[in-house]
Amino acid sequence: MTDPSITPRPRPAGALRRVGIAGLGHYVPERRLTNAELERAVDTSDEWIVQRTGIRERRIAAPGELASEMGARAALEALADAGIGAGAVDLLLCATVTGDYIFPATACEIAHRIGAPQAGGFDIGAACSGFVVGAQTAAQFIATGAYETVLVVGVEKLSAIVDYMDRGTCVIFGDGAGAAVFTTLERAGRGEYLGGSSGMRGGEADALSLPAGGTKSPATFDTVERREHFVRMQGRQIYRFAVTTFVDLVEKALAPYGDDELGLVVPHQVNLRIIESAAEQCGLPMDRVFVNIDRYGNTSAASVPLALYEARAAGRLVPGKLVCCVAFGAGLTWGHVLLRW
Ligand code: UT7
């Protein structure tokens, strides 16, 4: 029997193919964690959280609800939106920092759940930038003719690694998933991928990381006692980096285009103040920037596809106009994807 995932696919001799997005999907858990509930858990207030972050509530996975389950739900919705079955997926990429396991890849678990045994795939570990890096990866495989259909899922179950005794982080993060089906523009008929960028700078794990559980500091009783299996973040450091990077990415991505060509900037939902401050520095009115952080908090790799999904549902992706997705996060990593809807 021939395994389709290992069938060699020669690069066509001609030019690169144009790539588009055929479908979008999302999933958020039912449980809402409100600021009022956090007020009862840590020394914070609804007023502080809303003023400093713009977040009013975030979604939290049910006990036992896995990242792969949330990712699979978003993936199935995206496939249905694209009008194709799971059997057509050639490659499945999962962007996450909160996969079911350190290994195997959550991509494998999602492929199993949706019924895509023929697909190849892997996880993308670029934190909050994971979905845009995944989108770029998908676009390369399709443009070269290596694959026809690539499913990119961004999913996070951050509630599993957030310390609900640390007011500096527990107010920020939430759970959720988003997904997009990439294929040739000819087949997708919309959402043309015009290009993207990605960057990273190492040696800055202190700014944002999960300190223990990796091979640098494997789990011990001490690491558990020191609460090192929870997210640690230097909020201010990330704040400054996020504003500067947002501005740089948007300005460079949109430089070749006229002002009237921009439809919407869909940024990583990092913090409303960061988004507003960066938008002001770029001279972008807020009606050209999509925001849903008030309802979901920061969902890391799920944030951009979830925002893209909701932007389309709200009729904010205008056919023919540019959509610029920008993201930045732990690593440090950053990147953008430019689409013409
Ligand atoms: O996707 C990348 C992931 N990272 C992020 O999304 C984080 C980006 N950074 C941020 O969103 C902001 O830096 C935070 C929301 C985390 C913090 O806001 P800030 O305006 O940068 O506050 P700060 O860290 O400078 O702290 C100001 C004060 C401090 O008190 P003192 O030292 O001035 O007395 C904090 O202890 O606010 C205090 N504080 C809080 N107070 C009430 C920090 N967290 C809280 C809280 N409630 N939840």
Side-chain angles (χ1 to χ4, degrees):
M1 196 178 94
T2 311
D3 179 348
S5 65
I6 55 169
T7 304
R9 294 163 200 257
R11 181 179 166 178
L16 294 178
R17 306 189 298 177
R18 292 165 77 184
V19 177
I21 294 183
L24 295 172
H26 85 304
Y27 173 76
V28 289
E30 272 174 40
R31 163 96 168 90
R32 295 161 200 263
L33 177 64
T34 64
N35 291 350
E37 287 175 85
L38 288 169
E39 276 179 354
R40 295 195 284 276
V42 289
D43 181 14
T44 190
S45 66
D46 174 54
E47 191 192 359
W48 191 96
I49 302 171
V50 172
Q51 273 183 9
R52 300 280 183 136
T53 70
I55 302 168
R56 293 182 184 275
E57 60 181 34
R58 53 304 277 143
R59 300 299 180 98
I60 302 295
E65 187 172 30
L66 304 182
S68 61
E69 278 179 76
M70 296 192 283
R73 283 174 183 251
L76 287 172
E77 188 183 18
L79 289 169
D81 185 39
I84 58 172
V89 177
D90 296 308
L91 187 72
L92 194 160
L93 307 178
C94 177
T96 187
V97 295
T98 49
D100 294 358
Y101 309 102
I102 288 185
F103 74 90
T106 300
C108 302
E109 298 297 302
I110 295 176
H112 174 67
R113 284 180 187 279
I114 66 173
Q118 77 291 343
F122 50 91
D123 283 1
I124 293 184
C128 306
S129 314
F131 180 81
V132 298
V133 173
Q136 288 164 32
T137 310
Q140 311 316 308
F141 278 114
I142 293 162
T144 56
Y147 294 124
E148 293 302 313
T149 306
V150 182
L151 176 58
V152 183
V153 179
V155 58
E156 298 291 5
K157 184 179 169 179
L158 289 158
S159 58
I161 58 162
V162 162
D163 184 350
Y164 288 97
M165 290 170 70
D166 173 14
R167 68 177 183 172
T169 51
C170 73
V171 301
I172 304 277
F173 297 108
D175 300 338
V181 177
F182 289 80
T183 185
T184 58
L185 181 63
E186 203 184 348
R187 294 170 73 199
R190 55 182 165 174
E192 181 172 12
Y193 174 86
L194 298 179
S197 70
S198 66
M200 63 178 181
R201 192 165 80 219
E204 304 212 30
D206 284 351
L208 181 53
S209 70
L210 193 66
T215 52
K216 180 180 179 185
S217 180
T220 63
F221 288 112
D222 285 346
T223 61
V224 172
E225 210 162 273
R226 291 195 297 265
R227 309 187 75 73
E228 288 174 359
H229 296 273
F230 292 119
V231 176
R232 291 267 177 87
M233 178 174 79
Q234 303 295 329
R236 276 273 122 194
Q237 212 174 314
I238 296 288
Y239 192 107
R240 285 190 292 270
F241 155 73
V243 174
T244 320
T245 309
F246 184 134
V247 173
D248 197 41
L249 288 171
V250 167
E251 286 183 351
K252 285 186 180 144
L254 298 177
Y257 302 92
D259 275 356
D260 57 336
E261 286 186 88
L262 175 64
L264 196 65
V265 172
V266 179
H268 167 41
Q269 303 293 305
V270 57
N271 173 321
L272 182 60
R273 276 165 59 224
I274 292 176
I275 294 172
E276 285 178 343
S277 149
E280 192 186 341
Q281 288 182 43
C282 305
L284 265 179
M286 281 304 288
D287 63 3
R288 296 270 191 96
V289 183
F290 189 77
V291 172
N292 64 2
I293 192 170
D294 50 323
R295 288 173 293 122
Y296 302 124
N298 179 336
T299 58
S300 186
S303 135
V304 168
L306 190 52
L308 201 57
Y309 175 90
E310 289 208 331
R312 192 191 59 177
R316 308 254 327 255
L317 303 185
V318 182
K321 296 280 185 191
L322 298 173
V323 178
C324 184
C325 302
V326 293
F328 19 77
L332 303 170
T333 61
W334 60 89
H336 88 277
V337 160
L338 190 65
L339 307 166
R340 192 180 293 281
W341 207 257

